[in-house]
Amino acid sequence: LPIVVLISGGGTNLQSIIDAAAAGALPVEIRAVISNRADAFGLERARRGGIHTEVLDHREAPDRETYDRLLVELIDRFDPGLVVLAGFMRILTPELVAHYSGRMLNIHPSLLPAFRGLHTHRRALEAEVREHGASVHFVTPELDSGPVIVQARVPVLPGDDAEALAARVLAQEHRIYPLAIRWFAEGRLRLNGGRVWLDGA
Ligand code: GRF
């Protein structure tokens, strides 16, 4: 399955996908890694993995609609069967989301629908929840609200600060994202009327 991965930062989720593919555990061809920031370390991870990289700096576009139109043109140059958002810190326009409906995934560091948006670990600590985690979901126009495919839970431990909790969640992200992408690549994942169906092995 040809995929394109979109990043903005460190790219540890990208790395877990690169590693799973290299180990033969994920039947995908990463055709390009696209970042909106030239300084994203994830670009270095892609280069080390021999993967084509592109930077589309959002500051070069006059507005969000223009940026997303340019981004769609860039993504479609690689003709992906799946677009993977991995720490891509941009709000997407409904037009772009509609263009990739049913074939764009995102990972969010919370047990959705809890803690949509940013700073999820600090907010989880402030809310004194005993469990936290990560969610992989299909991308829909409403932020962090698409149908959830798979979630991982972690305990919130006494003495946790945001960094400790984030690290515990991130380790689980690296487990569930390759899993969800593999299910999609195997043609087992389907979006039916807003519901996620996972067909048998
Ligand atoms: C992670 O918390 C992930 O959930 C979110 O961005 C953060 C950094 O991810 N999407 P990465 O290390 O850049 O993959």
Side-chain angles (χ1 to χ4, degrees):
L1 173 77
I3 70 173
V4 167
V5 183
L6 273 56
I7 64 165
S8 298
T12 66
N13 277 286
L14 165 68
Q15 191 65 60
S16 68
I17 296 163
I18 291 171
D19 295 346
L26 190 54
V28 298
E29 173 205 358
I30 308 172
R31 287 194 173 155
V33 170
I34 299 173
S35 176
N36 62 312
R37 298 174 52 109
D39 64 349
F41 183 68
L43 291 168
E44 179 59 25
R45 295 179 189 274
R47 284 190 283 269
R48 289 178 188 171
I51 297 164
H52 181 80
T53 61
E54 296 276 351
V55 174
L56 187 61
D57 190 324
H58 54 281
R59 296 171 304 183
E60 289 164 12
D63 54 53
R64 188 176 299 282
E65 287 65 29
T66 305
Y67 180 81
D68 276 17
R69 210 169 29 254
L70 292 169
L71 184 56
V72 166
E73 282 172 19
L74 177 57
I75 293 168
D76 285 354
R77 270 179 32 203
F78 300 96
D79 192 24
L82 179 68
V83 179
V84 173
L85 305 180
F88 189 62
M89 304 308 278
R90 292 272 306 166
I91 305 287
L92 302 174
T93 58
E95 292 73 22
L96 184 149
V97 171
H99 184 73
Y100 297 110
S101 178
R103 58 188 179 115
M104 177 177 271
L105 303 182
N106 184 46
I107 191 160
H108 181 75
S110 79
L111 291 176
L112 292 173
F115 309 120
R116 293 190 176 98
L118 297 174
H119 312 301
T120 64
H121 311 300
R122 171 160 59 74
R123 290 160 57 202
L125 291 170
E126 285 164 0
E128 297 184 346
V129 294
R130 297 183 40 76
E131 274 193 336
H132 189 39
S135 308
V136 179
H137 63 92
F138 280 102
V139 174
T140 56
E142 189 183 352
L143 182 70
D144 300 331
S145 300
V148 171
I149 294 164
V150 57
Q151 298 187 307
R153 294 180 305 167
V154 300
V156 179
L157 300 175
D160 268 349
D161 58 10
E163 289 70 32
L165 188 51
R168 194 172 307 127
V169 169
L170 202 54
Q172 293 305 312
E173 295 180 34
H174 301 160
R175 193 166 60 86
I176 63 174
Y177 219 172
L179 184 63
I181 296 167
R182 178 164 61 79
W183 288 340
F184 189 94
E186 291 169 345
R188 297 171 56 191
L189 266 186
R190 280 185 294 160
L191 198 50
N192 273 285
R195 288 277 179 277
V196 174
W197 286 9
L198 175 60
D199 295 331

